[in-house]
């Protein structure tokens, strides 16, 4: 077998590298400006290496009937890890990937191509602008995993953005987001308050050490008009190689406290991660 070699290229918003995993054939790590963005195993798309990706995958597993095809919008492309996961676990799904960095999309399409018939359409566009032009009630799931460098862009954190997402989702749809923060969780709490302006049901998933304020890390938020199966979700999170807590209901309302929803004019990017928070090796 021909040895895989790293690929490095300037893309629209940074310097991207694709590095092969020496422990898994045809598995790759994508970094942009040194920050890990995605990990994908082309031979086993159900293998989710990153903790936050595993948690997003678990939520996707409990949406609707197991294995049923879904219409999914992915805001943020990376190496197309979750679109590949959905294509395998829910055959026949229709998926749109919206990525602002056209150069990154082209790099991934060239070196980590999607299988034929994957049902994934790629769009080089700003996430909010694309949503504003999408048809109402056209998606079962929206996954927001958008980073400009290592921070979530400010224009994707406001009430106006969340309401666009709610408009595009069907009544039973689920909005998922991957957000970084640390104690005292000002950003995370404000994002939950913002989601509460458009959705009745909220769930927070995070590693216990992050929630106890021990370190900076990612949290996954799920929001919708109908309850998420938190019992099934908690079971999956507890059994995972990287266990996580599932917070909802009164405990989550207490966590949100007096946090206020974010208006466009007040929006700020997610916090700057401390040195080494998302380093590799």
């Amino acid at each position: 077998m021909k040895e895989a070699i790293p690929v490095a290229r300037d893309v629209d918003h940074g310097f991207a590298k694709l590095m092969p995993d020496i422990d898994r054939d045809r598995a790759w790590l994508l970094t942009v400006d040194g920050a890990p963005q995605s990990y994908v195993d082309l031979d086993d798309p159900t293998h989710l290496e990153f903790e936050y990706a595993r948690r997003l995958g678990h939520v996707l597993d409990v949406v609707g009937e197991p294995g049923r095809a879904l219409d999914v919008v992915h805001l943020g492309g990376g190496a197309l890890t979750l679109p590949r996961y959905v294509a395998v676990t829910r055959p026949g799904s229709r998926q749109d990937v919206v990525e602002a960095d056209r150069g990154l999309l082209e790099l991934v399409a060239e070196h980590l191509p999607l299988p034929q018939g994957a049902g994934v359409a790629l769009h080089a566009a700003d996430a909010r602008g694309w949503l504003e032009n999408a048809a109402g009630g056209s998606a079962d799931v929206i996954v927001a995993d958008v980073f400009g460098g290592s921070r979530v862009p400010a224009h994707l954190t406001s009430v106006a953005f969340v309401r666009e997402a709610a408009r595009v989702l069907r009544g039973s749809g689920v909005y998922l987001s991957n957000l970084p923060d640390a104690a005292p969780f000002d950003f995370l709490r404000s994002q939950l308050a913002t989601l509460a302006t458009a959705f009745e049901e909220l769930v927070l998933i995070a590693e216990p050490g992050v929630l106890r304020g021990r370190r900076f890390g990612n949290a996954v938020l799920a929001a919708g008009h109908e309850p998420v199966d938190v019992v099934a979700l908690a079971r999956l999170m507890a059994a995972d190689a990287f266990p996580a807590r599932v917070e909802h209901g009164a405990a989550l309302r207490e966590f949100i406290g007096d946090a206020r929803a974010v208006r466009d004019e007040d929006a700020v990017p997610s916090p700057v991660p401390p040195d080494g928070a998302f380093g590799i090796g």
Side-chain angles (χ1 to χ4, degrees), residues 69-91:
L70 298 172
D71 293 334
V72 185
V73 174
H74 302 266
L75 304 177
L80 310 178
T81 303
L82 285 173
R84 299 174 201 268
Y85 180 84
V86 171
V88 170
T89 60
R90 294 178 177 270

Side-chain angles (χ1 to χ4, degrees), residues 182-232:
F185 304 112
D186 292 339
F187 178 73
L188 190 56
R189 290 168 60 241
S190 73
Q191 287 305 287
L192 283 160
T194 302
L195 285 170
T197 66
F199 299 104
E200 293 81 22
E201 301 289 338
L202 300 176
V203 176
L204 165 66
I205 304 157
E207 194 267 324
V210 171
L211 290 178
R212 293 189 188 113
R214 292 178 181 169
R215 66 180 181 89
F216 187 95
N218 293 82
V220 166
L221 306 185
H225 298 302
E226 298 180 3
V228 174
D229 188 344
V230 290
V231 173

Side-chain angles (χ1 to χ4, degrees), residues 13-278:
H13 301 297
F15 187 71
K17 289 184 180 179
L18 284 172
M19 294 178 284
D21 185 340
I22 60 173
D23 296 320
R24 297 178 72 94
D25 293 337
R26 302 186 73 226
W28 297 82
L29 172 70
L30 167 67
T31 68
V32 177
D33 292 335
Q37 296 290 325
S38 300
Y39 179 101
V40 62
D41 186 333
L42 299 179
D43 287 334
D44 181 10
T46 65
H47 175 76
L48 301 177
E49 182 80 5
F50 291 174
E51 294 179 31
Y52 82 84
R54 296 169 73 90
R55 288 162 193 159
L56 289 168
H58 288 322
V59 183
L60 286 164
D61 288 344
V62 303
V63 174
E65 294 298 317
R68 177 172 68 84
L70 298 172
D71 293 334
V72 185
V73 174
H74 302 266
L75 304 177
L80 310 178
T81 303
L82 285 173
R84 299 174 201 268
Y85 180 84
V86 171
V88 170
T89 60
R90 294 178 177 270
S93 294
R94 295 184 302 176
Q95 302 186 77
D96 289 287
V97 176
V98 185
E99 169 60 58
D101 194 320
R102 182 182 296 274
L104 183 60
L105 274 182
E106 292 172 348
L107 174 68
V108 171
E110 178 183 347
H111 291 280
L112 308 177
L114 289 161
Q116 275 199 320
V120 180
L122 306 181
H123 310 273
D126 173 74
R128 181 160 163 180
W130 191 91
L131 269 191
E132 288 169 351
N133 290 299
S138 58
D140 296 305
V141 182
I142 295 174
V143 182
D145 186 20
V146 184
F147 285 79
S150 56
R151 305 177 74 185
V152 178
H155 73 297
L156 306 183
T157 68
S158 70
V159 169
F161 169 72
V162 165
R163 287 180 178 165
E164 282 300 318
R167 181 187 64 80
V168 173
L169 281 170
R170 297 187 175 115
S172 59
V174 179
Y175 175 84
L176 301 176
S177 62
N178 172 39
L179 300 172
D181 203 5
F185 304 112
D186 292 339
F187 178 73
L188 190 56
R189 290 168 60 241
S190 73
Q191 287 305 287
L192 283 160
T194 302
L195 285 170
T197 66
F199 299 104
E200 293 81 22
E201 301 289 338
L202 300 176
V203 176
L204 165 66
I205 304 157
E207 194 267 324
V210 171
L211 290 178
R212 293 189 188 113
R214 292 178 181 169
R215 66 180 181 89
F216 187 95
N218 293 82
V220 166
L221 306 185
H225 298 302
E226 298 180 3
V228 174
D229 188 344
V230 290
V231 173
L233 201 52
R235 190 181 304 122
L236 289 169
M237 298 299 170
D240 195 271
F242 304 100
R245 274 170 49 192
V246 178
E247 299 286 357
H248 64 102
L252 191 53
R253 288 192 292 274
E254 182 177 347
F255 178 83
I256 297 169
D258 60 358
R260 293 183 178 181
V262 178
R263 302 176 300 172
D264 271 338
E265 53 267 38
D266 304 323
V268 296
S270 62
V272 177
D275 289 344
F278 299 128

